[in-house]
């Protein structure tokens, strides 16, 4: 039911990048996001402690406020949690898990959804009708409810939460891509390509798909923010990730028990980081939409 | 026309049937509820007896047909935990959830619309930027986090707000409402606001975007050129055009609000269906989980069916083409 | 450090107005009441509400020892028969007179089965194949198939309902509406709204004497933090299970009182005794044959490697009682000589060396994360401690709805009939509800035997004929002194062999506003009768 009229993109990538960065909020958001990517993916090298290696974690160091020094000489710059884990390390690894979950589920949903959308747009007829019925059905159910039930059935684990998130996200991509592809398919260059007797798949993937990319990019950014937020919410409800390998959402949930006794650092710091990641991803998506101007 | 409706009703029934299969088999492969409830002194004989009593020893497909047979007669089974029909539990709790959801909706519109109109009218002022930043943050905040922070701030630190529950209720047409008592409103405020934030953000953005578009439309320019007062233009022409997309989107997002009520209800111990679902999952009350899901699926399928039929009445192309983009 | 609560005073003033006329006690509880049919479940969350309304022939005192309830006395009159004398002059809430017919009716109702009940206490009647007979209006005989010492303890689990009110009532609906909820207890049904509240009002005609509270309201608040918040801002007067993290602050805060008692729930680690255990691997990742846990030195080393006091102080907020016993102090069967293992890394290391596992091995430690107090955190800390002696421990914590099925039945659903417990090392708890050790010994230490019900909680499949002989005998030994000897011997043998590794007894806490006094119970139940005002 979204109407997609696709405005041609003006200018070269360099021009687009310049325009993208002409707004300070976008620059900040991009830097914040890149920073967290570096921190998250670099966690094993940056973190002062491996929070999953139980030999490095000492319960006697539990609940230390930020800046405390362990008897081993390690400084806990952001304090420790109830198990004696260094919060800085736990957060770095938490960022890593949240980003992996967000990015991986986004990419998988993107690939699958785009594929379905392209097929639907290309084959038309009953294939299209059937696929779009499924998409409509999927979209008519609230994402969080579907993911929640899936996780109840599947159990816990990073792979399982990624699967659940792909299930709830792919339909957005499929519908968007189909819309754009239908419009693109009606353009002259596709007619020209058909005139040249190029194969269907070739037209689909080499000509139509590239023109869908801006739209996909915008949807993907927004979806990633949603996926990270959803993962945190599910973890909070006790579904999703195992407590021994906490994501940011789980760190917040664990830390909430300590809030009332004044140990703010266990819950508030991961909360701030989670917010920063989600907000920066959303700002990026917003800016991309302004620049690339797909009508969503 | 009739043919179209029949076709859609059939489709809806197929969807419902497929969903019962998915839901039933999905929920029934996890764990065994008897082991959760059983006393540690309940030995093998006692366990076996209980399992047989609940019909859990029969093959899954057989259980499914029993379930389907009951479903066709309008029974969704008895809750394991409570021993009363699951459906009556749902209906008992539904008013609380609906009340929360509608209040959240009202808040989202009541606060979101004026803010959006303002931001659309004067897009470059400082206040508008603040409004848009607020909407971005509200959209990004995970619901559970804001709920926890609100309890911590307003209930624990400041002591202004009750942390949990529904407060005093008044019975209206057989349903308890907390909206009508001061104590109830006091209890309702925080959960409803928490639940409304995401939708509020969406309303602000839509209103603003709508405003930007409408304000440059020719008929508005024309009205302005004719010397019609700004206030009148706003109240009649602009608002009318704004409401259409907002109503459509709210209709779509309302399901989301009901779903997110699961989170809000578990944080604020709000006795609605969402909290019931989480509790049921915790103890694996299969009939209750299945009943809730079937109920929700049924609601959505029927709503979609109605919307489809309405569309087809309004727009003949839908039923001829079958493809809406 | 104290809690900030400027609003508390205002809340107290607001509360004080309606309270002036009536004494109301509002209790925030962790679990909601599932049904008001007292024969529906034996879960503490339900029973604690039922016990305000309904009574049993035998009541339990604060340390779960049997005391007279609706029965004034009981004694064996021959090998197989116990005689119960009932209390005279007791009336039901609606004024009808209580007599032996109600008792017979209640037991018959239980035996007939409560349709759809997943955890009915009816199995207590099947233990010893009890039969009952009405002798006169106030005398009942209970006969068993073999000599059976713990009839009174069993009857302490079975509520007596009114024949005239509950006849024909099979569904919970009529109990939930109050129709059949006619009891003899100190409180009468007022309102029940699932998930929201259960409230009861004083029974002015109770035989047991004066009651302080006019009304008692139970409000379920599942989230720990929310429950505490509700207490802090005055929504409720009292909560059960205050988060252990906040206990130290609560104890110091003059505005609140904390009551404490060791509970009957033992938290322990259960090793798997199969020849090959899938979750135990050597340092190259290969499954080990034979399973090292079958060597008692390894089990002792694992026990010595656990610093129970640190768990108490750092994880449990002080709310645990480190132990090597299987029933808490004050219970029938407690062995004074068994003291909690000290934390001794060197000895543990030495034991592993002599057993031939000096290089350590890998183990997966399973457990629930939403069943026992701080269960997931205990798992992680135990894993930390074991990793220090070279036993690399991986924690797999899961929700109880999955954990217990896998613990008890393993892959039952994947391979039908294959009901072998799955875990190689798991954390579980055992609550000795009866106040005495007979069924704790039988359930956890006896060899698993589906036919007799022996070892039904023995998921590691530990087997020791020395214990079996004593346990089977104890179950039929009516002579209390002899039974105590048998039980204590069995426990000592089991614990010396490290059949399993006890960690601690949970210590239960309740937090309430200052001005209330609470006499807590070992069996986790929160009773308004135990709470009084002191201001």
């Amino acid at each position: 039911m979204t109407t997609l009229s696709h405005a041609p993109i003006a200018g070269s990538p360099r021009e687009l990048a310049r325009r993208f960065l002409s707004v300070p909020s976008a620059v900040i958001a991009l830097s914040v996001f890149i920073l967290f990517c570096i921190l998250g993916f670099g966690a094993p090298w940056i973190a002062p402690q491996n929070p999953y290696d139980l030999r490095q974690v000492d319960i006697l160091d539990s609940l230390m406020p930020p800046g405390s020094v362990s008897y081993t000489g390690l400084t806990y710059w952001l304090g420790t949690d109830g198990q004696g884990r260094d919060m800085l390390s736990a957060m770095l690894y938490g960022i890593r898990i949240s980003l992996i979950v967000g990015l991986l589920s986004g990419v998988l949903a993107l690939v699958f959804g785009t594929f379905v959308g392209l097929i639907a747009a290309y084959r038309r007829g009953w294939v299209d009708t059937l696929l779009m019925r499924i998409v409509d059905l999927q979209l008519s159910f609230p994402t969080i409810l579907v993911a929640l039930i899936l996780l109840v059935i599947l159990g816990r684990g990073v792979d399982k939460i990624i699967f659940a998130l792909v299930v709830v996200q792919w339909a957005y991509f499929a519908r968007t891509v189909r819309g754009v592809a239908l419009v693109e398919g009606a353009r002259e260059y596709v007619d020209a390509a058909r005139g040249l007797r190029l194969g269907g798949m070739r037209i689909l993937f080499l000509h139509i798909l590239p023109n869908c990319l801006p739209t996909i990019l915008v949807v993907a950014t927004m979806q990633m923010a949603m996926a990270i937020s959803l993962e945190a919410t599910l973890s909070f409800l006790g579904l999703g990730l195992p407590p021994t390998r906490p994501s940011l959402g789980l760190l917040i949930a664990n830390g909430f028990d300590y809030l009332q006794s004044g140990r703010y650092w266990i819950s508030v710091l991961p909360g701030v980081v989670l917010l920063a990641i989600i907000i920066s991803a959303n700002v990026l998506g917003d800016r991309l939409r302004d620049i690339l101007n797909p009508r969503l | 026309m009739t043919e179209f409706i029949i076709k859609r009703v059939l489709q809806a029934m197929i969807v419902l049937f497929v969903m019962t299969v998915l839901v039933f088999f999905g929920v029934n492969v996890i764990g065994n509820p008897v082991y959760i409830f059983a006393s540690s002194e309940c030995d093998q004989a006692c366990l076996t007896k209980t399992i047989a009593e609940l019909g859990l020893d029969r093959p899954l497909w057989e259980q499914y047909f029993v379930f389907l047979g009951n479903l066709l007669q309008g029974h969704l089974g008895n809750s394991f935990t409570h021993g009363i029909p699951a459906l009556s539990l749902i209906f008992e709790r539904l008013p609380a959830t609906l009340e929360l959801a509608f209040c959240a909706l009202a808040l989202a519109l009541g606060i979101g619309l004026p803010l959006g109109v303002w931001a659309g009218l004067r897009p470059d002022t400082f206040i508008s930027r603040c409004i848009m930043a607020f909407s971005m943050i509200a959209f990004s905040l995970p619901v559970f986090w804001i709920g926890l922070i609100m309890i911590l701030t307003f209930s624990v630190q400041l002591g202004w707000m009750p942390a949990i529950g529904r407060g005093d209720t008044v019975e209206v047409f057989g349903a308890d409402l907390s909206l009508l008592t001061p104590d109830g409103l006091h209890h309702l405020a925080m959960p409803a606001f928490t639940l409304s934030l995401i939708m509020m953000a969406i309303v602000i953005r839509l209103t603003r975007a709508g405003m930007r578009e409408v304000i440059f439309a020719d008929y508005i320019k024309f009205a302005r050129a004719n010397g019609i007062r700004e206030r009148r233009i706003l109240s009649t022409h602009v608002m009318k055009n704004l409401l259409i997309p907002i109503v459509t989107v709210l209709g779509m997002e309302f399901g989301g609000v009901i779903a997110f009520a699961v989170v809000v209800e578990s944080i604020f111990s709000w006795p609605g269906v969402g909290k019931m679902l989480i509790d049921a999952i915790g103890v694996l009350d299969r009939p209750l989980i299945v009943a809730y899901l079937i109920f929700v699926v049924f609601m959505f399928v029927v709503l979609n069916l109605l919307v489809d039929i309405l569309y087809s009445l309004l727009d003949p192309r839908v039923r001829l083409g079958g493809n809406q983009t | 450090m104290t809690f900030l609560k400027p609003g508390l005073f205002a809340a107290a003033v607001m509360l004080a107005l309606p309270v002036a006329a009536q004494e109301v006690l509002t209790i925030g509880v962790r679990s909601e009441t599932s049904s008001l049919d007292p024969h529906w479940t034996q879960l503490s969350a339900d029973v604690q509400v039922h016990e305000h309304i309904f009574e049993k022939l035998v009541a339990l005192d604060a340390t779960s020892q049997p005391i007279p309830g609706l029965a004034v006395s009981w004694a064996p009159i021959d090998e197989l028969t116990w005689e119960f004398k009932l209390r005279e002059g007791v009336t039901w809430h609606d004024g009808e007179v209580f007599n032996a017919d109600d008792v017979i009716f209640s037991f018959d109702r239980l035996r007939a089965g409560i349709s759809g009940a997943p955890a009915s206490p009816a199995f207590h009647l099947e233990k010893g194949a009890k039969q009952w007979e009405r002798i006169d209006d106030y005398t009942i005989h209970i006969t068993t198939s073999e000599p059976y010492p713990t009839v009174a303890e069993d009857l302490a689990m079975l509520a007596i309902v009114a024949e005239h009110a509950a006849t024909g009532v099979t569904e919970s609906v009529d109990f939930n509406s109050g129709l059949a909820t006619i009891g003899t207890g100190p409180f009468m049904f007022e309102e029940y709204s699932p998930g929201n509240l259960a409230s009861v009002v004083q029974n002015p005609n109770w035989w047991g004497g004066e009651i302080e509270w006019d009304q008692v309201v139970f409000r379920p608040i599942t989230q720990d933090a929310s429950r505490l918040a509700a207490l802090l801002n005055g929504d409720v007067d009292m909560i059960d299970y205050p988060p252990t993290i906040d206990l130290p602050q609560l104890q110091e805060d003059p505005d609140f009182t904390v009551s404490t008692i060791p509970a009957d729930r033992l938290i322990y680690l259960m090793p798997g005794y199969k020849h090959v255990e899938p979750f135990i691997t050597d340092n190259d990742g290969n499954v080990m044959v034979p399973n090292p846990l079958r060597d008692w030195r390894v089990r002792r080393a694992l026990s010595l490697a656990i610093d129970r006091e640190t768990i108490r102080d750092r994880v449990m907020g002080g709310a645990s009682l480190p132990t090597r016993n299987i029933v808490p102090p004050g219970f029938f069967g407690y062995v004074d000589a068994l003291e909690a293992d000290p934390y001794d890394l060197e000895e543990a290391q030495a034991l592993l060396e002599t057993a031939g596992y000096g290089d350590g091995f890998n183990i997966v430690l399973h457990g629930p994360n939403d069943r026992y107090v701080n269960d997931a955190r205990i798992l992680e800390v135990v894993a930390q401690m074991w990793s220090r002696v070279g036993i690399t421990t991986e924690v797999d914590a899961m929700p109880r709805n999955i954990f217990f099925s896998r613990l008890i039945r393993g892959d039952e659903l994947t391979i039908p009939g294959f009901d072998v417990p799955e875990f190689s090392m798991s954390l579980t708890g055992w609550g000795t509800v009866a106040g005495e050790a007979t069924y704790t010994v039988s359930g956890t230490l006896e060899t698993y035997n589906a036919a007799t019900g022996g070892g039904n909680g023995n998921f590691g499949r530990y087997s020791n004929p020395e214990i079996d002989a004593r346990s089977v005998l104890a179950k039929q030994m009516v002579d209390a002194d002899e039974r105590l000897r048998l039980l204590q011997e069995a426990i000592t043998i089991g614990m010396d062999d490290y059949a399993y590794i006890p960690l601690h007894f949970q210590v239960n806490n309740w937090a309430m506003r200052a001005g209330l006094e609470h006499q807590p119970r070992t069996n986790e139940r929160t009773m308004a009768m135990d709470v009084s005002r002191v201001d």
Side-chain angles (χ1 to χ4, degrees):
Chain A
M1 280 155 271
T2 16
T3 32
L4 291 148
S5 73
H6 187 64
I9 305 157
S12 61
R14 185 184 294 262
E15 165 70 11
L16 280 175
R18 198 191 56 73
R19 275 179 55 207
F20 181 87
L21 296 175
S22 64
V23 179
S25 66
V27 179
I28 297 171
L30 190 65
S31 340
V32 168
F33 194 75
I34 292 177
L35 175 72
F36 281 124
C37 281
I38 294 173
L39 289 178
F41 292 111
W45 297 276
I46 304 172
Q49 184 190 64
N50 178 355
Y52 304 150
D53 182 357
L54 293 169
R55 272 165 297 193
Q56 297 185 27
V57 181
D58 194 332
I59 181 72
L60 291 173
D61 283 348
S62 62
L63 299 178
M64 288 180 141
S68 312
V69 182
S70 156
Y71 68 90
T72 56
L74 183 71
T75 306
Y76 298 122
W77 292 110
L78 298 181
T80 61
D81 72 359
Q83 314 290 34
R85 245 183 244 123
D86 174 34
M87 275 312 288
L88 175 61
S89 311
M91 274 164 62
L92 290 172
Y93 276 80
I95 294 170
R96 180 188 168 86
I97 291 185
S98 291
L99 284 176
I100 288 176
V101 168
L103 288 173
L104 211 56
S105 70
V107 168
L108 289 176
L110 185 155
V111 171
F112 183 66
T114 304
F115 185 73
V116 170
L118 286 178
I119 295 291
Y122 183 73
R123 295 293 298 269
R124 315 272 172 99
W126 69 269
V127 177
D128 185 26
T129 313
L130 178 71
L131 288 176
M132 284 307 114
R133 278 272 110 194
I134 297 176
V135 166
D136 282 345
L137 187 70
Q138 168 83 62
L139 290 182
S140 69
F141 293 112
T143 45
I144 184 164
L145 204 61
V146 177
L148 192 143
I149 291 303
L150 274 175
L151 285 176
V152 168
I153 295 169
L154 295 173
R156 297 190 191 196
V158 176
D159 49 338
K160 282 152 190 157
I161 195 158
I162 289 178
F163 175 80
L165 289 175
V166 170
V167 169
V168 297
Q169 290 184 91
W170 71 274
Y172 289 97
F173 290 99
R175 187 156 82 180
T176 316
V177 167
R178 172 182 171 271
V180 182
L182 276 181
V183 176
E184 287 298 320
R187 285 180 188 276
E188 296 89 7
Y189 71 89
V190 175
D191 283 345
R194 286 220 175 89
L196 290 171
R197 296 181 182 274
L198 295 178
M201 283 295 152
R202 210 185 142 122
I203 297 178
L204 204 55
F205 285 101
L206 288 184
H207 297 275
I208 296 183
L209 179 60
N211 284 292
C212 299
L213 282 180
T215 318
I216 295 178
L217 189 60
V218 174
V219 177
T221 320
M222 296 294 207
Q223 286 297 314
M224 189 190 60
M226 195 206 75
I228 293 176
S229 168
L230 201 57
E231 179 273 316
T233 307
L234 291 165
S235 295
F236 170 76
L237 289 174
L239 299 156
L241 293 169
T244 41
R245 309 237 150 164
S247 67
L248 287 174
L250 209 53
L251 284 176
I252 297 171
N254 291 341
F256 184 69
D257 294 336
Y258 300 94
L259 261 182
Q260 282 165 337
S261 50
R263 276 79 169 232
Y264 64 89
W265 62 91
I266 306 174
S267 188
V268 171
L269 296 178
V272 170
V273 171
L274 179 70
L275 282 191
I277 292 179
I278 299 177
I279 292 178
S280 62
N282 275 331
V283 170
L284 286 182
D286 238 28
R287 189 66 197 140
L288 279 175
R289 172 159 47 195
D290 290 349
I291 297 285
L292 301 173
N293 195 28
R295 291 197 38 142
L296 288 173
Chain B
M1 185 65 222
T2 344
E3 189 197 345
F4 170 80
I5 291 180
I6 293 173
K7 218 167 111 190
R8 274 294 149 93
V9 170
L10 278 178
Q11 275 181 6
M13 283 171 71
I14 293 175
V15 167
L16 264 178
F17 175 74
V18 172
M19 287 314 236
T20 60
V21 175
L22 287 180
V23 165
F24 188 87
F25 283 88
V27 171
N28 278 276
V29 295
I30 26 171
N32 189 332
V34 174
Y35 298 139
I36 299 169
F37 290 111
S39 148
S40 36
E41 289 186 17
C42 178
D43 60 21
Q44 202 59 52
C46 155
L47 285 175
T48 315
K49 191 172 156 232
T50 315
I51 290 173
E53 175 104 16
L54 293 175
L56 298 177
D57 55 339
R58 289 189 263 173
L60 209 47
W61 59 267
E62 209 180 304
Q63 292 183 42
Y64 175 72
F65 282 115
V66 172
F67 163 78
L68 203 61
N70 288 336
L71 180 65
L72 292 177
Q73 295 164 29
H75 299 302
L76 281 171
N78 276 8
S79 151
F80 284 164
T81 335
H82 300 279
I84 55 178
L87 216 50
S88 75
L89 269 173
I90 292 177
F91 284 123
E92 203 171 311
R93 298 254 192 132
L94 198 59
T97 299
L98 288 180
E99 181 179 53
L100 186 62
F102 278 113
C103 287
L105 250 177
L107 275 177
L109 285 175
I111 302 176
L113 265 182
L115 290 182
V117 169
W118 179 282
L121 281 178
R122 299 180 177 76
D124 292 321
T125 58
F126 176 71
I127 295 178
S128 297
R129 282 177 201 284
C130 288
I131 292 174
M132 293 320 288
F134 166 75
S135 92
M136 175 58 80
I137 292 172
F139 186 72
S140 305
L141 281 174
V143 171
F144 75 95
W145 165 246
I146 190 70
L148 296 181
I149 292 299
M150 284 186 52
I151 290 187
L152 188 76
T153 318
F154 295 107
S155 302
V156 179
Q157 300 286 341
L158 299 172
W160 294 346
M161 290 292 191
I164 51 114
R166 244 188 126 182
D168 298 339
T169 54
V170 177
E171 196 171 310
V172 181
F173 302 122
D176 288 330
L177 290 184
S178 42
L179 198 53
L180 300 176
T181 66
D183 183 52
L185 267 182
H186 200 200
H187 280 81
L188 184 62
M190 279 209 302
F193 181 73
T194 307
L195 188 56
S196 75
L197 272 179
I198 287 188
M199 196 146 44
M200 197 184 293
I202 296 175
V203 170
I204 291 177
R205 310 189 123 227
L206 282 175
T207 317
R208 175 177 174 270
M211 284 299 290
R212 302 299 302 147
E213 224 159 76
V214 173
I215 234 157
F216 298 118
D218 288 339
Y219 66 93
I220 301 287
K221 285 185 189 156
F222 188 71
R224 237 182 230 146
N226 275 344
I228 297 176
R229 260 188 286 155
E230 196 76 5
R231 181 176 292 261
R232 191 172 153 71
I233 295 179
L234 260 186
S235 62
T236 57
H237 300 284
V238 177
M239 277 322 253
K240 220 184 280 170
N241 277 287
L242 276 180
L243 284 175
I244 299 164
I246 289 174
V247 168
T248 318
V249 169
L250 286 188
M252 284 164 59
E253 285 290 317
F254 193 65
V257 172
I258 298 272
F260 267 106
V262 171
V263 183
V264 173
E265 285 174 10
S266 16
I267 295 171
F268 291 96
S269 290
W270 189 262
V273 281
K275 184 169 178 302
M276 186 195 73
L277 176 70
I278 294 292
D279 292 345
I281 288 173
V283 295
L284 221 56
D285 189 341
R286 288 179 186 167
L288 196 50
I289 303 174
V290 171
Y292 175 86
L293 292 178
I294 298 284
F295 177 76
V296 169
V297 168
F298 183 78
M299 229 169 57
F300 281 108
V301 168
V302 169
L303 275 180
N304 279 346
L305 182 68
L306 289 180
V307 169
D308 271 0
I309 293 175
L310 277 181
Y311 267 122
S312 78
L313 290 175
L314 296 174
D315 185 353
R317 278 173 304 175
V318 173
R319 64 174 182 269
L320 295 178
N323 288 339
Q324 330 94 290
T325 20
Chain C
M1 193 190 304
T2 56
F3 298 99
L4 299 171
K5 46 190 161 340
L8 194 71
F9 177 69
V13 170
M14 279 165 61
L15 266 177
L17 294 174
V19 169
Q22 269 208 322
E23 297 286 345
V24 181
L25 180 68
T26 309
I27 307 174
V29 290
R30 185 176 61 176
S31 314
E32 72 173 277
T33 317
S34 59
S35 165
L36 286 191
D37 180 346
H39 294 165
W40 178 258
T41 67
Q42 32 69 28
L43 305 175
S44 341
D46 296 336
V47 174
Q48 66 187 11
V49 176
H50 300 158
E51 287 198 334
H52 286 79
I53 304 170
F54 296 99
E55 291 176 297
K56 286 139 187 183
L57 290 188
V58 178
L60 295 175
D61 69 6
T63 49
S64 294
Q65 301 308 304
I67 51 170
L70 285 175
V72 284
S73 65
W74 53 89
I77 51 174
D78 63 45
E79 277 247 290
L80 301 177
T81 310
W82 285 71
E83 182 174 86
F84 283 77
K85 285 283 183 197
L86 303 186
R87 193 177 292 276
E88 296 184 34
V90 174
T91 55
W92 295 97
H93 291 159
D94 57 3
E96 300 273 332
V97 177
F98 158 81
N99 65 29
D101 292 331
D102 295 305
V103 179
I104 301 294
F105 169 78
S106 299
F107 291 171
D108 286 345
R109 182 173 188 264
L110 275 161
R111 177 153 287 171
I114 312 297
S115 169
S120 162
F123 67 90
H124 287 290
L125 289 173
E126 307 316 319
K127 292 199 292 190
K130 296 186 187 69
Q131 300 294 332
W132 41 91
E133 193 188 349
R134 176 187 190 282
I135 303 302
D136 59 45
D137 267 3
Y138 293 99
T139 313
I140 296 271
H141 281 181
I142 305 279
T143 49
T144 53
S145 57
E146 280 164 54
Y148 189 90
T150 52
V151 171
E153 280 83 355
D154 287 353
L155 296 194
M157 305 295 145
L158 305 172
I160 305 301
V161 297
E163 183 177 17
H164 64 276
T167 299
V169 176
T170 51
E171 303 240 342
S172 289
V173 180
D174 289 332
F175 277 98
N176 294 350
S177 69
L179 200 68
T181 332
I182 307 294
T184 55
F187 290 90
M188 302 190 289
F189 173 88
E190 187 189 48
E191 190 193 349
Y192 171 61
S193 149
N196 191 19
L197 60 87
S199 86
V200 292
V201 290
Q202 191 189 100
N203 169 15
N205 303 319
W206 189 47
W207 57 268
E210 286 287 304
I211 308 154
E212 189 154 348
W213 305 102
D214 295 309
Q215 188 191 15
V216 180
V217 182
F218 290 89
R219 309 205 59 154
I221 311 168
T222 325
Q223 294 271 345
D224 283 349
S226 310
R227 197 165 56 252
L228 179 59
L231 175 72
L232 295 186
N233 76 358
D235 282 353
V236 298
D237 300 312
M238 175 178 181
I239 57 172
D240 62 1
Y241 301 98
T244 53
I245 298 143
D246 299 293
L247 275 178
Q249 272 96 329
L250 275 172
Q251 275 153 347
E252 281 169 26
D253 194 319
D255 291 330
F256 298 98
T257 311
V258 175
S259 60
T260 298
I261 195 169
D264 58 30
R265 195 175 298 283
L266 172 72
I267 301 297
Y268 60 102
L269 295 157
M270 171 84 81
Y273 286 89
K274 291 197 292 286
H275 186 58
V276 178
E277 284 285 348
F279 294 109
I280 299 175
T281 53
D282 63 19
N283 292 329
D284 301 326
N286 304 315
V287 173
M288 294 174 87
V289 184
N291 163 17
L293 296 180
R294 295 178 68 135
D295 188 326
W296 78 276
R297 290 169 297 189
V298 174
R299 302 198 294 270
R300 178 166 154 80
L302 289 175
S303 180
L304 292 173
I306 297 171
D307 184 350
R308 291 172 177 79
E309 283 170 19
T310 297
I311 293 182
R312 179 189 63 201
D313 298 339
R314 294 296 179 132
V315 178
M316 303 296 289
S320 76
L321 179 69
T323 192
R324 224 178 121 202
N325 253 290
I326 70 173
V327 291
F331 275 39
F332 188 85
Y334 181 80
V335 185
D336 283 320
L338 285 175
E339 279 179 33
D341 267 339
Y343 174 54
D344 192 342
L345 265 186
E346 279 156 34
E347 176 68 17
Q349 205 95 54
L351 277 165
L352 285 175
E353 290 283 352
T354 44
Y357 299 104
D359 296 334
F361 51 89
N362 304 311
I363 192 166
V364 183
L365 175 59
H366 289 90
N369 67 347
D370 56 358
R371 178 64 188 88
Y372 309 113
V373 178
N374 296 333
D375 38 18
R377 299 186 56 216
I378 298 173
L379 286 170
E380 279 192 61
V381 172
V382 167
Q384 273 182 27
M385 292 167 174
W386 283 353
S387 295
R388 295 236 156 75
V389 287
I391 295 170
T392 311
T393 310
E394 191 191 319
V395 172
D396 189 353
M398 57 193 88
R400 61 184 158 164
N401 58 20
I402 298 169
F403 173 76
F404 285 102
S405 300
R406 286 178 65 186
L407 172 75
I408 299 171
R409 280 292 177 90
D411 279 323
E412 179 197 25
L413 291 160
T414 343
I415 313 163
F418 188 79
D419 57 343
V420 175
E422 193 182 338
F423 303 133
S424 302
M425 181 65 86
S426 55
L427 176 129
T428 48
W430 184 281
T432 304
V433 196
E436 64 100 75
T438 310
Y439 280 90
T440 311
V441 169
S442 160
T444 61
L445 289 171
E446 214 180 297
T447 304
Y448 177 73
N449 182 337
T452 63
N456 66 294
N458 180 357
F459 302 120
R461 298 292 186 255
Y462 173 77
S463 176
N464 186 338
E466 300 260 311
I467 294 176
D468 292 355
R470 288 171 174 82
S471 171
V472 170
L473 206 54
K475 278 191 273 188
Q476 302 184 1
M477 182 59 66
V478 178
D479 181 77
D481 292 339
E482 183 59 13
R483 187 154 52 99
L484 183 62
R485 188 185 64 80
L486 288 168
L487 290 175
Q488 288 182 331
E489 278 177 17
I491 292 170
T492 310
I493 295 169
M495 291 303 103
D496 283 346
D497 195 29
Y498 290 89
Y500 48 80
I501 304 167
L503 286 181
H504 56 240
F505 291 106
Q506 286 183 3
V507 170
N508 280 343
N509 295 280
W510 289 261
M512 63 216 80
R513 61 177 173 81
L516 293 181
E517 196 178 58
H518 177 226
Q519 173 64 51
R521 291 169 178 269
T522 45
N523 63 9
E524 307 183 346
R525 291 169 200 166
T526 312
M527 313 289 282
M529 294 77 95
D530 301 336
V531 184
S532 54
R533 289 186 58 148
V534 288
D535 53 359

